[in-house]
Structure formats: C-alpha cells, structure tokens
C-alpha cells in the first residue's frame, strides 16, 4: 500500500505486541543494546541529524533540546508527556496501548544519552487501564534488565515512574505538568527559565512527547540520516495523523511528515463521509487555527502550516463537512478553552470568560452585529498576551473562525430577524 | 554589568535586575498589578508587557532579566494597546464600587486605568457576581468582585510569613482567593495583606468605611512597640477632613526602609493607636480624703520640696523615652540636681520572631544604654533594692510603660510617689500625684533601635488638651526646686 517505512506503527497490527516477549521477537530492545555501545554524545548527534521535531505540538527539535541540558548539574530528569488532551488527538494512546515497549526503549536510550537516572511518565488521568499496562511493561522491562540498576550490565541505572494526572488539559503544558508532578496545582510556569535549565524540582529536565521518544529506537538502529530523509528538510520522519470527524475512515495514519493534508483526508481517510463536501479542517487539534476547504492543498509539516497561519500541532486532523455549523464549532471551542483555562493570567482567564458569555448569547439568538465584532476584538486581545500557549491558541482560533466564516455568523443574525 | 537602553535612556544595572526594576532606576514607571518589590515576581497580571527589540512577542517586564545590549520600549503602540486591553479585561467584571471602596485613591486599578486605560465602553453582558464580604481573618474582609487575582496575598503568606493560609481555589474564571481548609488567616503580619492588595479586595475592619484616603495626612514615623524600630506612616486627619469623627489616628502603615522592608507586624499596626486612648488631661492629687484635679502649679508645689534631699529621691524612667528626653533627665536630675538613683524599665519582653518583631518591646533600650552605660539594668536593680529597704522619701516615675514592672510599685504606698504619664491605667491610683504628659504621637525625637541605628521622628498629632511635654515638666520641676537651667541648655537637648 505504501513505499515508506512504518516506524511507530510497525507493531500495531501484531497481536499482543505490548507483551515484552512479542516485542523482543520483533527486534525490540536491539536499539538499546546498540545505543549502550555508543557514546552518549553520539546518540544526541544522531538525533540532531534526524531532525526529529517534538510531536507534542510545539515542534522543537528533540536533539537540540537535549543539548541544552547543562553538563555540570545533577540530578536531571526526563518527563514523558503522555497527557494527551488536545481534542482530536488520539495517537499517543495507541502507542501506549499497542506498543508500550517502544516508548520504554526510547526512554531508556534518551536517558542514557542525556545522563538521566529518573524518568517520569505523566499519563492522562482517564487512562487507568493504559497506565496499568504501561506499569506492567516497565516491570517486564525491569525483569529483563532493560530498566533498573546497571542496565544490560552497564554502569547506567534508570528508574521509570508512572504518574497519573487528574484530568486537567493544562497539565499537558510542559511546565504545568512539572508543577503537577511536584504535587502542586497544575499552573504553567513563566519561561525563562526553561525546563532544560530549571525544570522538575528545580533541576535540568528533558520533556518529550510519547511519540517523539518512540521514534528514538528506530533512529538509533537506522541512523539519523535515514530518518531525516523520510520527511521534509528540517522536519524528519513520519507522523501519526489522527484523523477524526466527517471522514469515511477515521483513525491513526502513519505517514511521512510533509504528506499533503488533502491526500491524508481524501486518500488515506477515505474522503468526506456520505459524499458530502468539505467545509473546514483543524489541522492540529482544536488549538490549530481552522483551515477552509480551499486551503488544504498544503504539506502537513510544521513550517508549511505555519506559513498559512495555522499549525501542525499534534497532527490531529479534525474534518468538518458542509453540514457543520461554524457557530456550533465556535461554541465548542470556546466552551473547551473556558473550561480548561487555569485562570492564572488575566487575558486567558477573563478572555475565555467573556468569550463564553458572548458566544452563549449568540447561541441564544440575542446577539447583534456589535457582538460579533466584540468577540473578534476580545479574541485578538488575547493573542500574544498570555502566560502560556493555551490562551494564545484560544484567541487565535476564535479570531480565525470569525475572520474566515464571518458571513455565516452575519447571516445567522439575519435569519433570526 | 549589563548595559541597556530603555525608551532611549541608557542605563547600566546589576546582573539579574529585571526590566521593571531597571526602568524604575531610569525613572520610567511600568504599570503592574502582581509585581511587588518585596515578593518574587509572578508574571501573571500581564500589565507590565514591554517590547524588546528582536523579540516578536511582548514580554513581562517583571520577570525578564536584563541582558547586555537589550533595547526595551515601554511606550510603543503595541505596548500601549496591550495595556489598554489587559485593563479592559480586568475591568469587565469589576464592580466599580469605588465610591464606597476603602482603596479608592490609592488603588492600582484606578491609577493604571487613568494612565493607560481605554475610554471605549464595551458592550457588557450581565456581570459575574461574587461574594463581597468573606472574612478571611478576624479583621480582614475579602471582596471577590474587586479581586484581580494578582496573588500578592497568597505569595506574601508563602514567602514572608510561611503560614500559607490563603490559596487560589478553583480554576479559570471561577478562580478565587480562599482560606486553606477553612482555617482563617492568623499570623502577626496579616495586616500587610491590606497594604499589598493592589485593589480594594482585602479591607480591614479597623479602617473600613472610616475615611477617604485623600482626606488623610500621612506622617512618617517610627514604631515604638519593639526594639526593631520599623518605619511607619501614621495616617491622621488632614486639613480638610470632612467628617465629625472623633478618631485621631486612622491607620498605621509600613514605610519602606532597610530595617523593615515593606512590612510591619500587627502589633504595631493595631495596638499603636491604643496609646492615644484614656488620656489624662489635668494633674491629679490623690489624697486620703479624695481625688481632685488641680493646676500644674499646685501639683508641682506639692512635692517640689523633696528635691532638697537628692539622696532620698529615686527616679524610675522608661525605655520608651527618646534620646533627647533621656539626655535632659541626665543633665537636670543627675548632673544638676544630684539625684544618683535613676533606673530604667519598660514593657516586659514578649515573643519575638525571625521576621521583624523582637522580644524587647521597648523602642529605645539601646539608646538608654548608650547614654547611661551598659550597666543601667544592674543599676536599676540596685535602685529597686534600696526602694525595698525604704531608703527613699520620694519617688518619681516617668512613662506609662513602667507599669509592667512590679518592682516599681513595691514601695509606692510608703513613699510619696509622683507619676508622669499620658493615660490612665489600673495602677495610677497607687501614687500621690499624677502629671499628664504628651504621648508618643505628640512628641518628636530619636530612638536607637536594637541594631544601634538612630531614627528620628516628628510629632503626628497636636497635644491632647494642651498637656505639656516631658521637657516642659522637667524644666518646671527644676526651676521650682531652685535650680536654674539656662534656657539654651534646655533647648539644645
């Protein structure tokens, strides 16, 4: 069906791939053995070469991030962000469910490369079963000597701890996640200092997404150049595109970075459901500004989507057909951000609150033209003013929806009269 | 030392200085809510956003440390717009009850709105209403409608007192300041929460609805209630005070100094005004057949003859007197009149802490020791021993505070005792003559604090019913006793 390699999903169709024996049978933990025979710096170099950009949403190159860890300070920590909360995103849960050892192997290699002896996996609170499976996988790996003291006889030890969240979207933000692990309210910290210098418990911390780390074993086995060649220049490898909404075949598709958005929706996901036509797409979860149907002939990589005013984010593609009311969409978007705003900074706390009230008024049919303008103005007031990306994303999304679908809002006013 | 340019002004500051502080040094004020110079920056109110050349996003001036060669613009169109919009957010649900808000006139929201706000009026839905009267301690009241969630109060209780009684509970626009686990704020520094609240969200029963701040006059002073010598403002009636209120002192507030930083303790804040209660207006003779108010002359005549025998006279004075008053006592009573039995005492020690309050509850023990020598305490004990043996015919007590030392009253019934003090207390009827004097608020002078730092203060209030100063009383005593003091000598001290 395809001429590109499967990296993350290679074991997805294998029965019981989550069992360590099955994973090892399929070549698992070979990368770890190879990595432990390499110098840590060599691994970092390979990952840099691979142009592996963070899969969580911000897209920061992983190797570069690792390189920021100051050499002289110990301890250091690894935080694995498994708090997949972006609406529309369901890729990490597939990895954790179907191939947890790929993540664990990635974690061990990363920790070896950066000199870390303790890793925390911050897992979404709702995933009770998955957390149990992950914990079981860690125990299995420990029994085989891949995790724990003196891994594979080497002078390198690592503890992995699974920490379950309590359901706040904001805890997927890296610094809020650390606060949460520390036992505090999940409030984003102000940056700088960045986690690389002052992270978990005040120590240098690497924080990576589940998918990012699951790529590491293949990079170590096949080399950075191999990985970089799969994607587009500066953005290597494949992505797990989680396609949902009005498509014939929703699901997770592993495709090279840079596959056209149009191709993902119409070729891989089978096109729009019931032969309807496409209206709008969120190309990277609810935080990625909406695209209209004539904007989807775009390469799905960080830079290309940024150029057209959106973002790839966590590569969660939410597809909406012609029957979708953008007013309903706006209502959902605003309800989500209003519910998840931590309330720490003024623009996000007050902005989401005002937007919620204004949109509810619109939903009740009590709005006027002035209100549409005010919603747009309020959204624009949030952009670039917030402490963390949540508020900025909300502002940008709302402002984009109004800008691109203003006509629909205005017509809805007319209908009511 | 990083060198940077703020609004065209070149300035060199210490490494680690934030943009907001560097701007302050350059004379540029950056508006803020959550920043407080005595607390760690939070960066949450977003009022202090500034433009840094080369950075596409505005940055918070309170958290961003300066870097060499930085070019900062605090006045660009983008910055102005950001300020306007942050203010519009904060004001959207603000109750605007300034006419009945104690903070009006010294409110940061008012100030920032005046200077940076937009006059555009938003189309408003119904406001979110919140509780307006939540007791967070015995005397502090939280108004959640006025609150801008700057968390200064939460951070103060975390960073300064470490007692952590307050927290932000709930999330998003439901966020609110609350007491932790239902236990109210209870520490000796709680009053500072009112000062640091940038708006009128935390008000004080002690001051609530008592006065509009612009009708008050602030007098810089030094707190006399412990050896620390915290710098304070005493807020008294200003020139155009409109109400008939009989209060003379409205508020005690901290005044920044290296000694106390931005804080004072609740003892200084709430107990100080009590020194102005139960005042004595006229001299009193307490005779076996009755108590009567008399003139100063008559009162003085009743005991002036005792000074002819200085060996039979003892004086017990207070650690609350100023250095100037003590010098006069030494010069007149000790040097000129030859009274050698002079002792000092004062308030009993209390509990100190490692924030500001020290166990010595007297403001000037150090000054007394500097003047009389370190052995003044030993000498005082010797005076007490002589008193117990009945060595004296006459005892002169100076100061209200000495009432806490029971030694002082061991022989007052047998000895003719005169007490110069400012207010009635439970022991005053034990003596024979009462002479009223001015209290702390009505005098000026210098205290030497526990670390040996001299601090001067001026009088905050006019004398109550024209009672004389201690200096006047001493000079009258001396002249009646036939000792002439050169006028300039008296004035010099």
């Amino acid at each position: 069906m395809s001429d590109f390699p499967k990296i993350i999903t290679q074991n997805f169709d294998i029965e019981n791939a989550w069992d360590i024996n099955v994973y090892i049978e399929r070549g698992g933990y070979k990368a770890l053995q190879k990595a432990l025979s390499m110098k840590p710096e060599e691994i970092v170099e390979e990952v840099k070469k691979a142009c592996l950009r963070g899969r969580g949403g911000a897209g920061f190159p992983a190797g570069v991030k690792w390189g920021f860890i100051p050499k002289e300070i110990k301890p250091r920590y690894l935080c694995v962000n498994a708090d997949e909360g972006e609406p529309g995103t369901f890729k990490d849960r597939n990895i954790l469910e179907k191939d947890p050892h790929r993540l664990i192997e990635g974690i061990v290699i990363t920790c070896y490369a950066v000199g870390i002896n303790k890793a925390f996996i911050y897992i979404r609170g709702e995933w009770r079963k998955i957390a149990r499976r992950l914990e079981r996988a860690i125990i299995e790996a420990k029994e085989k000597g891949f995790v724990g003291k003196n891994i594979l006889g080497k002078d390198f030890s690592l503890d992995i701890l699974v920490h379950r969240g309590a359901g706040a979207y904001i805890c997927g933000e890296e610094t809020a996640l650390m606060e949460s692990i520390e036992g505090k309210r999940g409030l984003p910290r102000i940056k700088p200092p960045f986690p690389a210098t002052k992270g978990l418990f005040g120590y240098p911390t690497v924080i990576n997404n589940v998918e990012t780390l699951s790529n590491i074993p293949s990079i170590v086995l096949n080399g950075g150049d191999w990985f970089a060649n799969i994607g587009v220049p500066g953005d290597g490898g494949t992505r797990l595109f989680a396609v949902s909404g009005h498509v014939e075949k929703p699901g997770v598709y592993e495709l090279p970075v840079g596959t056209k958005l149009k191709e993902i929706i119409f070729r891989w996901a089978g096109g729009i459901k019931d032969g309807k036509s496409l209206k709008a797409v969120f190309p990277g979860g609810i935080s990625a500004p909406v695209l209209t149907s004539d904007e989807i002939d775009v390469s799905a990589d960080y830079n290309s989507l940024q150029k057209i005013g959106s973002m790839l984010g966590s590569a969660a593609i939410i597809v909406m057909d012609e029957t979708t009311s953008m007013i309903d969409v706006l209502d959902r978007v605003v309800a989500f951000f209003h519910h998840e705003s931590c309330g720490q900074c003024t623009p996000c706390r007050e902005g989401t609150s005002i937007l919620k009230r204004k949109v509810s008024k619109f939903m009740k049919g009590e709005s006027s033209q002035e209100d549409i303008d005010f919603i747009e103005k309020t959204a624009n007031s949030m952009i670039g003013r917030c402490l963390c990306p949540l508020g900025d994303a909300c502002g940008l999304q709302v402002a984009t929806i109004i800008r691109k679908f203003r006509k629909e809002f205005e017509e809805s006013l007319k209908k009511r009269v | 030392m990083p060198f940077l340019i703020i609004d065209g002004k070149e300035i060199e500051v210490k490494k680690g200085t934030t943009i907001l502080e560097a701007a302050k040094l350059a004379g540029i004020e950056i508006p803020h809510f959550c920043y407080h110079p005595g607390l760690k920056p939070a960066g949450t109110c977003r009022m202090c956003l500034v433009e840094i050349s080369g950075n596409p996003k505005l940055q918070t001036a309170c958290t961003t440390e300066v870097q060499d060669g930085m070019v900062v613009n605090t006045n660009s169109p983008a910055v102005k717009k950001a300020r306007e919009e942050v203010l519009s957010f904060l004001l959207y649900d603000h109750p605007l009850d300034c006419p009945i808000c104690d903070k009006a006139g010294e409110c940061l929201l008012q100030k920032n709105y005046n200077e940076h706000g937009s006059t555009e009026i938003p189309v408003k839905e119904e406001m979110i209403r919140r509780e307006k009267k939540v007791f967070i301690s015995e005397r502090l009241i939280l108004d959640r409608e006025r609150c801008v969630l700057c968390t200064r109060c939460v951070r103060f209780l975390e960073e300064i007192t470490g007692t952590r009684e307050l927290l932000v509970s709930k999330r998003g626009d439901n966020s609110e300041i609350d007491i932790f686990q239902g236990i109210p704020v209870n520490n000796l520094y709680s009053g500072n929460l009112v000062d640091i609240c940038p708006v009128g969200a935390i008000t004080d029963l002690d001051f609530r609805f008592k006065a509009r701040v612009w009708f008050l006059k602030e007098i810089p002073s030094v707190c006399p209630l412990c050896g620390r010598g915290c710098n304070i403002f005493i807020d008294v009636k200003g020139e155009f005070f409109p109400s008939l209120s009989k209060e003379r002192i409205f508020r005690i507030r901290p005044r920044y100094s290296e000694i106390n930083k931005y804080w004072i303790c609740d003892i200084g804040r709430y107990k100080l005004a009590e020194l102005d209660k139960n005042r004595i207006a006229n001299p009193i003779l307490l005779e076996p057949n009755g108590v009567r108010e008399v003139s100063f002359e008559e009162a003085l005549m009743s005991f002036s003859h005792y000074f002819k025998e200085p060996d039979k006279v003892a004086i017990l004075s207070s650690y609350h007197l100023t250095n100037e008053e003590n010098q006069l006592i030494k010069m007149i009573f000790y040097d000129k009149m030859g009274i050698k039995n002079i002792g000092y005492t004062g308030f009993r020690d209390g509990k100190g802490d490692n924030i500001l309050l020290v166990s010595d509850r007297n403001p000037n023990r150090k000054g007394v020791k500097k003047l009389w020598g370190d052995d003044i305490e030993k000498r005082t004990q010797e005076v007490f021993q002589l008193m117990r043996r009945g060595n004296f015919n006459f005892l002169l007590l100076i100061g209200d505070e000495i009432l806490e030392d029971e030694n002082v009253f061991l022989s007052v019934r047998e000895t003719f005792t005169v007490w110069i003090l400012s207010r009635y207390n439970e022991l005053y009827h034990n003596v024979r003559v009462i002479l009223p004097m001015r209290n702390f608020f009505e005098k000026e002078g210098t205290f030497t604090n526990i670390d040996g730092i001299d601090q001067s203060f001026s009088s905050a209030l006019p004398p109550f019913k024209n009672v004389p100063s201690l200096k006047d009383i001493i000079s009258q005593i001396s002249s009646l006793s036939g000792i002439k003091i050169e006028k300039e000598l008296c004035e010099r001290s």
Side-chain angles (χ1 to χ4, degrees):
Chain A
M1 193 165 151
S2 61
D3 50 358
F4 42 81
K6 296 250 184 246
I7 298 170
I8 306 283
T9 57
Q10 55 183 286
N11 288 347
F12 274 26
D13 297 330
I14 309 300
E15 218 179 316
N16 296 342
W18 45 269
D19 187 282
I20 194 161
N21 294 317
V22 180
Y23 183 69
I24 292 172
E25 244 169 64
R26 307 250 322 144
Y29 288 110
K30 282 232 173 77
L32 176 62
Q33 284 168 24
K34 183 180 173 190
L36 291 181
S37 69
M38 292 163 77
K39 281 189 191 142
E41 309 85 68
E42 289 171 352
I43 302 172
V44 176
E45 222 26 67
E46 281 306 312
V47 174
K48 275 186 188 163
K49 252 195 253 167
C51 296
L52 169 64
R53 294 183 66 168
R55 289 344 190 195
F60 199 83
V64 179
K65 203 187 237 182
W66 298 358
F68 286 155
I69 299 291
K71 298 255 168 333
E72 58 288 350
I73 306 172
K74 281 243 172 184
R76 304 158 184 172
Y77 297 108
L78 172 72
C79 286
V80 183
N81 192 341
D83 190 47
E84 187 174 54
E86 183 70 31
T89 313
F90 44 89
K91 59 183 181 70
D92 292 342
R93 83 172 281 165
N94 273 284
I95 300 172
L96 294 166
E97 253 176 348
K98 294 177 178 159
D99 205 4
H101 284 287
R102 186 166 304 281
L103 171 66
I104 293 169
E105 191 175 2
I107 291 172
V108 183
I109 297 171
T110 304
C111 289
Y112 172 71
V114 190
I116 293 168
N117 303 106
K118 190 146 202 160
F120 293 85
I121 304 176
Y122 189 91
I123 189 166
R124 190 182 160 119
E126 291 89 335
W127 295 345
R128 208 168 300 166
K129 228 172 149 183
I130 301 174
R132 249 181 265 143
R133 177 168 289 181
L134 189 60
E135 267 166 351
R136 188 197 135 153
I138 293 168
I139 291 167
E140 285 175 345
K142 225 178 209 168
E143 284 166 0
K144 300 263 183 197
F146 299 131
V147 174
K149 280 212 171 113
N150 297 331
I151 294 168
L152 297 178
K154 283 264 178 181
D155 182 25
F156 166 60
S157 305
L158 172 69
D159 252 346
I160 304 179
L161 244 128
V162 177
H163 185 105
R164 283 182 55 208
Y169 170 67
I170 192 60
C171 288
E173 196 281 337
E174 53 183 19
T175 52
L177 184 150
M178 288 171 198
E179 290 279 300
S180 179
I181 292 180
E182 289 177 13
K184 302 175 192 154
R185 270 165 75 88
L187 303 180
R189 297 175 186 165
I190 199 139
K191 289 185 264 186
F194 290 95
T197 49
K198 226 177 155 201
L200 189 63
F201 302 111
Y203 290 101
T205 303
V206 172
I207 175 156
N208 280 130
N209 172 262
V210 169
E211 188 189 341
T212 314
L213 291 170
S214 302
N215 275 310
I216 302 295
S218 301
I219 293 174
V220 168
L221 277 180
N222 304 312
D225 291 329
W226 166 83
F227 190 85
N229 280 331
I230 299 171
V232 296
D235 197 348
T238 60
R239 288 293 302 248
L240 295 191
F241 291 98
V243 188
S244 63
H246 299 134
V247 286
E248 285 290 350
K249 295 189 289 172
V252 174
Y253 297 91
E254 182 173 17
L255 300 165
V257 172
T259 308
K260 290 269 180 186
L261 193 55
K262 200 173 181 175
E263 191 192 330
I264 299 168
I265 297 169
F266 286 97
R267 181 175 166 204
W268 298 103
I272 309 302
K273 217 171 161 203
D274 302 331
K276 296 226 167 58
S277 65
L278 176 70
K279 183 173 188 180
V281 179
F282 290 145
I286 206 169
S287 297
V290 69
L291 298 178
T292 58
S293 57
D294 43 12
E295 288 174 307
I296 58 161
D297 197 11
V298 61
S299 153
D301 62 81
Y302 278 115
N303 295 343
S304 303
L305 276 158
Q306 207 172 354
K307 259 181 225 153
I308 60 164
S310 188
M311 63 178 194
L312 183 56
S314 54
I317 299 167
I318 304 174
V319 180
M320 290 161 270
D321 72 9
E322 54 186 319
T323 63
T324 316
S325 153
M326 291 317 281
I327 298 160
D328 290 344
V329 171
L330 182 72
D331 184 45
R332 281 307 308 146
V333 166
V334 167
F336 175 76
F337 285 113
H338 171 255
H339 181 71
E340 297 295 350
S341 167
C342 81
Q344 193 182 193
C345 76
T346 308
C348 180
R349 178 184 68 241
E350 304 298 328
T352 54
S353 176
I354 296 167
L355 286 176
K356 175 85 169 67
R357 278 177 271 169
K358 285 283 176 191
V359 174
S360 307
K361 190 179 162 196
F362 202 99
M363 297 301 284
K364 278 190 232 150
E366 295 165 357
S367 289
S368 61
Q369 176 70 37
E370 250 184 337
D371 288 304
I372 302 177
D373 297 338
F374 193 75
I375 291 172
E376 193 177 16
K377 183 181 181 289
T378 304
N380 279 320
S381 300
M382 295 168 71
I383 301 169
R385 311 270 164 74
C386 300
L387 191 147
C388 85
L390 188 148
D392 289 348
C394 173
L396 201 54
Q397 183 65 280
V398 172
T400 312
I401 291 175
I402 299 276
R403 182 164 53 85
K404 292 187 178 169
F405 297 93
R406 194 179 188 95
K407 249 195 187 149
E408 192 177 334
F409 285 86
E410 287 174 353
E411 268 160 24
S412 122
L413 288 179
K414 276 181 213 154
K415 268 182 224 155
R416 284 174 195 144
V417 179
Chain B
M1 296 247 288
F3 184 84
L4 71 159
I5 300 172
I6 307 178
D7 293 349
K9 285 191 189 174
E10 297 177 359
I11 182 171
E12 198 173 5
V13 293
K14 264 192 276 175
K15 199 172 177 279
T17 311
T18 62
I19 293 176
L20 195 144
E21 282 157 355
K24 211 192 271 177
L25 292 173
I28 297 160
E29 200 184 342
I30 297 175
H32 56 263
F33 291 103
C34 66
Y35 165 82
H36 186 283
L39 302 172
K40 285 183 202 146
T44 55
C45 77
R46 318 304 285 177
M47 190 62 206
C48 69
L49 292 170
V50 293
E51 205 171 287
I52 302 167
S53 292
N55 200 327
K57 253 184 109 175
L58 300 181
Q59 299 293 317
T60 44
C62 70
T63 58
T64 312
E65 289 183 6
V66 297
Q67 271 162 14
D68 202 33
M70 217 178 216
V71 179
V72 180
N73 193 340
T74 77
N75 227 348
S76 71
V79 172
K80 283 182 178 166
K81 189 153 182 281
R83 285 174 186 168
E84 259 180 30
E85 290 175 355
V86 168
L87 280 166
S88 299
F89 280 137
L90 287 175
L91 283 164
Y92 197 84
D93 287 317
H94 194 79
L96 295 177
D97 52 357
C98 313
I100 55 153
C101 178
D102 287 337
K103 201 76 176 190
E106 50 190 23
C107 169
L108 271 189
L109 193 54
Q110 278 185 333
K111 180 177 183 286
N112 288 339
Y113 179 72
N114 270 335
E115 292 166 12
H116 309 284
S118 142
T119 48
E120 206 176 303
I121 298 163
V123 209
K124 275 200 183 183
E125 257 59 86
E126 256 184 61
M127 273 174 50
I128 295 182
R129 301 307 307 262
R130 303 179 200 271
E131 300 96 313
K132 293 204 58 85
K133 197 174 183 184
V134 181
F135 276 87
I136 56 168
S137 88
E138 266 178 27
R139 44 164 57 103
L140 301 184
I141 296 164
L142 170 69
D143 183 329
R144 290 190 175 132
E145 272 189 348
R146 293 179 188 158
C147 179
V148 293
L149 288 165
C150 69
T151 68
R152 278 184 183 182
C153 53
V154 177
R155 286 178 286 139
F156 174 83
L157 295 175
E158 202 173 296
E159 293 171 24
I160 307 297
T161 65
T163 49
R164 294 185 168 85
E165 293 102 329
L166 291 179
L167 79 166
V168 181
S169 74
K170 303 184 191 156
R171 201 169 69 164
D173 64 349
N174 293 316
S175 300
E176 58 189 27
I177 301 294
D178 206 350
I179 49 175
F180 182 59
Q181 295 191 334
I183 303 163
V185 177
N186 183 16
N187 63 65
L188 270 180
Y189 294 84
S190 66
N192 292 298
L193 298 179
V194 182
D195 304 325
I196 62 171
C197 182
V199 293
I202 299 180
T203 50
D204 197 332
L205 268 190
D206 205 53
F207 183 66
R208 212 166 139 92
F209 307 135
K210 291 263 170 70
R212 310 298 341 205
V213 295
W214 52 86
F215 289 124
L216 298 176
K217 191 166 77 179
E218 55 173 40
I219 314 285
S221 188
V222 176
C223 176
L225 291 188
C226 89
R228 180 73 67 192
C230 292
N231 290 206
I232 55 171
F233 280 120
I234 302 171
D235 284 355
V236 300
K237 271 182 204 178
E239 210 173 326
F240 301 107
F241 198 83
S243 110
L244 295 172
S245 165
K246 287 222 169 88
E247 303 262 352
R248 299 219 299 165
I249 296 149
F250 286 86
R251 272 195 310 191
I252 306 292
R253 286 180 298 130
R255 176 166 61 96
Y256 176 82
S257 79
E258 276 303 309
I259 293 167
N260 57 302
K261 303 289 174 201
Y262 302 89
W263 329 114
I264 55 169
C265 74
D266 286 357
I267 295 179
R269 188 185 298 266
Y270 299 118
K271 298 273 185 228
L272 195 50
E274 286 179 16
L275 300 188
D276 202 37
K277 301 265 156 66
N278 299 323
R279 293 295 299 279
I280 305 170
N282 294 304
I284 301 166
L285 290 189
L286 300 105
E287 288 163 339
N289 49 2
V291 175
R292 61 191 174 99
E293 287 194 352
V294 294
S295 69
F296 252 92
E297 286 69 32
E298 193 181 343
L300 290 173
M301 290 307 287
S302 70
F303 63 81
S304 58
H305 57 281
Y306 285 108
F307 289 104
K308 284 176 187 145
E309 284 181 287
D311 291 347
K312 295 283 176 192
V313 173
I315 297 175
L316 287 170
S317 182
S318 159
Y319 288 127
H320 279 241
L321 299 188
T322 63
N323 288 339
E324 293 78 2
E325 287 166 335
N326 288 328
Q327 277 159 19
L328 196 66
I329 287 171
K330 191 172 183 202
M331 189 190 316
I332 307 256
F333 292 133
Y334 189 85
D335 295 342
K336 294 270 178 191
M337 293 168 74
I339 300 164
K340 301 298 172 196
N341 291 306
I342 298 180
Y344 274 81
T345 180
F347 281 147
R348 268 196 293 272
D349 276 3
K351 231 176 152 181
D353 58 32
N354 47 20
I355 304 175
L356 291 174
L357 193 62
V358 297
S359 55
D360 183 4
R361 292 297 156 79
N362 301 291
N364 206 20
R365 191 187 292 259
K366 200 86 177 185
V368 169
K369 283 187 178 171
K370 265 192 183 169
L371 182 71
W372 293 89
D374 278 337
D375 61 343
I376 186 68
E377 278 157 20
K378 204 180 118 219
R379 281 158 63 187
T380 305
Q381 291 306 319
E382 285 164 11
V383 175
F384 287 148
Q385 274 192 8
L386 292 174
M387 276 164 64
R388 265 181 230 120
R389 282 192 219 133
N391 258 34
F392 303 117
N393 295 334
F394 181 72
L395 191 54
L396 178 63
L397 310 179
I398 305 172
D400 294 79
E401 303 77 20
I402 58 172
L403 86 148
E404 287 203 355
D405 191 338
E406 61 271 18
N407 290 314
V408 173
F409 299 93
L410 283 174
S411 61
V412 284
R413 284 188 190 282
E414 301 87 62
T415 320
F416 193 97
T417 306
V418 175
W419 195 352
I420 307 172
L421 78 175
S422 67
R423 52 195 202 110
Y424 291 104
N425 59 48
E426 63 270 30
L427 293 172
Y428 82 93
H429 47 79
N430 288 323
V431 303
R432 299 288 292 275
V433 181
I434 293 284
L435 293 177
M437 68 164 176
R438 291 180 194 169
N439 68 10
F440 163 74
F441 298 103
E442 297 157 353
K443 69 184 179 188
E444 65 283 308
T446 309
F447 289 145
T448 306
N449 91 340
I450 197 151
D451 297 315
I453 301 167
D454 287 339
Q455 300 194 94
S456 298
F457 59 94
S458 50
S459 65
L461 291 172
F464 173 77
K465 307 252 183 195
N466 282 323
V467 296
S469 67
L470 183 60
K471 280 182 203 170
D472 287 343
I473 297 171
I474 292 174
S475 64
Q476 281 194 49
I477 289 175
S478 63
S479 61
L480 273 174
S481 315
I483 289 162
K484 282 213 174 95
I485 312 165
E486 300 85 58
K487 206 172 174 231
E488 88 280 1
L489 195 72
C490 196
E491 269 164 10
R492 207 181 64 206
S493 53

